[in-house]
């Protein structure tokens, strides 16, 4: 007996559109042509998958900080407690 899972489940369309479908490619091409894809290229060039299920937030955070070219350990404006906290949490997990 096979249990239903999330793997290759059909997307609820609309609103979700498969990125590799003809319609997804058309939307991507239109956005590229209109100059609305700068954020995509910054993010995709720093894409990371999570190494553990509990690390999805860390993988997302690392992608965004890398895309924005922000060093989370550098204090650049006053006392940034959130950035300090994030930096210490990343160091604990990564090292």
């Amino acid at each position: 007996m096979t249990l239903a899972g999330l793997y290759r489940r059909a997307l609820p369309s609309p609103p979700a559109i498969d990125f590799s479908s003809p319609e997804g490619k058309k939307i991507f091409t239109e956005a590229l042509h209109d100059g609305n894809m700068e954020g995509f290229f910054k993010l995709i060039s720093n894409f990371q998958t999570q190494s553990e299920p509990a690390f999805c937030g860390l993988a997302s955070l690392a992608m965004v900080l890398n895309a924005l070219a922000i060093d989370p350990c550098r204090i650049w404006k006053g006392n940034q407690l959130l950035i300090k906290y994030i930096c210490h949490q990343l160091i604990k997990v990564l090292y």
Side-chain angles (χ1 to χ4, degrees):
M1 181 172 154
T2 305
L3 296 175
L6 297 177
Y7 180 72
R8 302 296 298 167
R9 186 187 325 185
L11 295 172
S13 182
I17 299 167
D18 187 354
F19 190 66
S20 62
S21 71
E23 187 178 359
K25 290 176 184 177
K26 178 179 175 260
I27 292 170
F28 181 88
T29 303
E30 288 172 359
L32 183 63
H33 183 263
D34 293 342
N36 297 321
M37 296 300 290
E38 292 306 311
F40 170 80
F41 290 111
K42 288 180 182 178
L43 281 171
I44 201 67
S45 64
N46 289 289
F47 182 78
Q48 297 181 32
T49 58
Q50 63 196 56
S51 59
E52 297 288 335
F55 292 173
C56 60
L58 290 174
S60 299
L61 177 64
M63 277 180 55
V64 170
L65 290 176
N66 287 333
L68 294 172
I70 293 175
D71 179 357
C73 296
R74 179 173 174 251
I75 305 301
W76 58 273
K77 196 174 195 180
N79 187 10
Q80 296 173 321
L81 294 177
L82 179 61
I83 297 295
K84 280 184 178 179
Y85 174 78
I86 291 168
C87 180
H88 290 294
Q89 296 306 311
L90 284 172
I91 290 169
K92 282 182 190 175
V93 170
L94 298 174
Y95 302 104

